[in-house]
Amino acid sequence: MTDLRIEPLTSGSPDALLADWQHAHNTIVPAASARLSLDDVRERAGRNVLEVAYEGDVLVGCTTVRRPREDGTATVIARVLPEHRGRGLGTALYERGLAAARGLGARSFETVLLASNTAGLRFAERAGFTVEVDRYQLDGDPADCVWVELRLA
């Protein structure tokens, strides 16, 4: 990994940054129910901690940190585009997300991903997300589109 550059997003971020986060998210999460428009990303940037990651000037991924719920649990999601995986970028993004969640007062951590994302599930397990909280489908998703919510043990 070289020259990792992270750009935090807000609802007022330039459209180009929001579009890069949108592209990474929609590429990695192809479920129809999860596809986000630029306006969706802008709205999420106003309520979540979103970052877009570049290696030099090349988009490599994005992160989402959902603020802690009343029970102190935050959701941390690191996404790396397929062509950039296996080089430590996911670990770097995940660690940033975890630190951001802690900074928001989180005391426990969850992540969510598609059950079909076997590489993502293996990554989450290696990071300690070994407690399955829930499996569910969103309206409009096909039968093979199952979401898995995991908690950090």
Side-chain angles (χ1 to χ4, degrees):
M1 180 176 53
T2 61
D3 197 22
L4 185 62
R5 179 171 56 92
I6 306 293
E7 295 287 342
L9 301 182
T10 67
S11 57
S13 291
D15 282 354
L17 286 176
L18 295 168
D20 280 351
W21 190 97
Q22 174 195 30
H23 173 77
H25 175 276
N26 288 349
T27 298
I28 295 163
V29 186
S33 64
R35 293 200 64 78
L36 300 177
S37 70
L38 201 55
D39 285 338
D40 294 331
V41 176
R42 189 174 287 109
E43 184 272 328
R44 284 184 183 210
R47 65 181 160 90
N48 298 321
V49 177
L50 304 184
E51 294 181 329
V52 64
Y54 301 89
E55 197 168 37
D57 291 330
V58 177
L59 174 66
V60 296
C62 67
T63 63
T64 299
V65 176
R66 296 179 189 154
R67 296 181 183 282
R69 302 184 304 251
E70 284 186 22
D71 68 356
T73 302
T75 300
V76 177
I77 305 167
R79 300 176 196 89
V80 176
L81 291 165
E83 61 271 24
H84 300 286
R85 292 180 182 159
R87 298 186 292 122
L89 297 169
T91 299
L93 295 179
Y94 161 70
E95 288 173 354
R96 283 183 62 86
L98 203 58
R102 283 188 180 116
L104 294 170
R107 297 181 310 277
S108 60
F109 309 91
E110 292 180 352
T111 194
V112 61
L113 58 157
L114 288 169
S116 60
N117 181 354
T118 56
L121 288 170
R122 283 191 307 273
F123 178 87
E125 185 177 85
R126 284 192 311 271
F129 288 89
T130 56
V131 178
E132 187 171 316
V133 175
D134 196 12
R135 278 184 185 250
Y136 57 91
Q137 285 184 278
L138 298 174
D139 291 340
D141 280 348
D144 65 344
C145 186
V146 177
W147 295 91
V148 180
E149 213 171 291
L150 301 169
R151 182 173 296 228
L152 189 61

